Amino acid sequence: MIDDKQRIIITRKWPAQVEGKMAALGHLQTNDLDQPLSRDELGFALQNAEILCPTVTDKLDAELLLNASVQTKFIANFGVGFNHIDIVAANSAGIVVANTPGVLTEATAELALTLLLMSARRAAEGERLVRSGNWTGWRPTHMLSTAVTGKTIGIVGMGRIGTALAQRCHHGFGMRILYCNRNPVDESVADDLQAKQVDMHELLATSDFVSLNCPASAQTHHLIDAHALRQMQPHAHLINTARGNIIDEVALVAALSSAEIAGAGLDVYEQEPNLARGLMSLQNVVLLPHMGSGTLETRQAMGMRALANVAAFLQGAPIPDIVTASNAVAK
Ligand code: DGY
């Protein structure tokens, strides 16, 4: 009997339920130890599986993708962001790429709001104080922070996640919404949120909170650098749930240390899992470990979305979430 099942490699551990379903689609190799694959191991995976299912921790660059021994024909990324994959190189090697959009919108917007609230209300700092045993009790001027209700948020990248955050901020906290985006949002969305499209300078200079929700690209690399940080108001907070390299982390450490801005809430970093020198010792930054999409429901949904992409590829059907170099949109 001819075994025509294709080889599928999943590079990190996925929710068990989804791995089980993927095993039914082909010869599946999982990563039960859940250690990140080395560059050599990634190269080996590309040369030994028709279908590769990577995540943000797998850097698939041109050198790996264009190797003559590559067997992979389809990359089903577990995640919406795909800046770790050289799409142009993949496509020119004849490899089709897909991601998992839509299903992590709510979870990531929730986490952006969590960071915003934590940063504004000094929640992480307060928690550290209680745990340290040094809290001496309530007093009128203790740990004063900044209100969120009624303030202005500037959203950079008004795609699915940016819009979901805007809805929470506007309808939940009565916030004014400014945004920067390549295109204006739909009129009905703009009306509902009373959202105003502005240029980057106006957004930085007039927002109390700035949230980054754009994809990582050559255009957004270090979009928030020392110059941009100088344009922000001294009481403003910067929130990033998109990708670390949108911020120049060294410049951010300087801006937070000199109180050029009041605070920051970060879920993503330039060199994960490493942080820029000095970031960890600052009180006025909330640091989370890239967990924006990290609810069980969402991670299962991401897996199911990747599974649907693999199933379509195997059937020769149109790939639901195909990614090309030109269709990178705001996350
Ligand atoms: C995403 O989906 O982009 C998450 O950040 C994990 O990669």
Side-chain angles (χ1 to χ4, degrees):
M1 200 171 96
I2 298 171
D3 178 3
D4 58 357
K5 281 192 166 178
Q6 308 221 11
R7 289 161 297 173
I8 306 172
I9 293 183
I10 290 180
T11 64
R12 302 301 295 266
K13 200 169 170 54
W14 287 15
Q17 178 207 39
V18 194
E19 284 191 351
K21 290 185 192 295
M22 189 70 97
L25 296 185
H27 290 297
L28 181 65
Q29 182 182 314
T30 53
N31 177 357
D32 298 338
L33 292 178
D34 206 15
Q35 295 293 332
L37 297 195
S38 67
R39 189 174 168 76
D40 283 352
E41 287 168 330
L42 273 178
F44 180 85
L46 284 165
Q47 291 166 29
N48 286 278
E50 286 80 18
I51 298 171
L52 181 66
C53 304
T55 70
V56 65
T57 56
D58 304 309
K59 189 165 169 42
L60 296 171
D61 58 25
E63 195 186 337
L64 283 178
L65 292 162
L66 295 172
N67 185 303
S69 310
V70 165
Q71 293 296 317
T72 297
K73 299 281 175 289
F74 185 55
I75 293 178
N77 186 54
F78 186 104
V80 66
F82 48 82
N83 59 306
H84 52 289
I85 305 171
D86 186 328
I87 305 292
V88 174
N91 290 171
S92 71
I95 305 171
V96 177
V97 182
N99 67 344
T100 61
V103 289
L104 42 72
T105 304
E106 313 299 329
T108 310
E110 281 175 10
L111 201 86
L113 189 56
T114 304
L115 283 170
L116 187 157
L117 292 167
M118 286 180 75
S119 189
R121 300 304 311 273
R122 300 174 64 183
E125 206 183 326
E127 214 242 7
R128 285 193 291 274
L129 177 67
V130 174
R131 285 182 188 275
S132 74
N134 293 327
W135 180 39
T136 53
W138 193 90
R139 56 198 160 90
T141 55
H142 184 225
M143 285 213 69
L144 299 183
S145 57
T146 186
V148 170
T149 300
K151 296 287 177 70
T152 297
I153 181 166
I155 298 182
V156 181
M158 197 70 158
R160 286 177 287 258
I161 298 171
T163 304
L165 174 63
Q167 285 161 344
R168 284 154 178 75
C169 290
H170 185 67
H171 295 303
F173 294 89
M175 294 176 83
R176 179 169 168 251
I177 310 294
L178 304 178
Y179 72 93
C180 272
N181 204 46
R182 274 179 297 194
N183 303 309
V185 296
D186 281 356
E187 219 176 293
S188 60
V189 175
D191 285 353
D192 175 49
L193 300 173
Q194 292 166 39
K196 182 176 170 216
Q197 187 174 21
V198 293
D199 64 27
M200 195 63 186
H201 173 73
E202 184 176 343
L203 183 141
L204 292 171
T206 59
S207 297
D208 303 305
F209 299 93
V210 172
S211 175
L212 304 178
N213 298 99
C214 52
S217 67
Q219 291 73 42
T220 60
H221 182 85
H222 284 188
L223 180 70
I224 305 298
D225 58 5
H227 176 68
L229 288 160
R230 271 197 299 276
Q231 294 171 60
M232 289 176 65
Q233 309 193 74
H235 67 263
H237 294 249
L238 177 65
I239 310 301
N240 191 8
T241 52
R243 281 292 181 265
N245 65 9
I246 300 171
I247 298 178
D248 176 344
E249 226 166 79
V250 172
L252 178 63
V253 171
L256 289 167
S257 311
S258 62
E260 202 164 85
I261 65 170
L266 307 176
D267 186 44
V268 287
Y269 306 88
E270 280 201 81
Q271 305 289 340
E272 295 178 9
N274 302 315
L275 275 59
R277 186 195 297 262
L279 197 55
M280 233 188 288
S281 48
L282 291 172
Q283 285 289 345
N284 56 347
V285 61
V286 182
L287 303 168
L288 295 182
H290 199 151
M291 53 195 271
S293 62
T295 65
L296 177 60
E297 296 91 330
T298 299
R299 291 285 162 83
Q300 281 172 344
M302 289 163 75
M304 292 307 287
R305 194 87 186 203
L307 189 89
N309 285 313
V310 170
F313 173 77
L314 289 171
Q315 287 156 16
I319 310 291
D321 304 312
I322 194 161
V323 162
T324 60
S326 59
N327 72 356
V329 290
K331 284 177 77 181

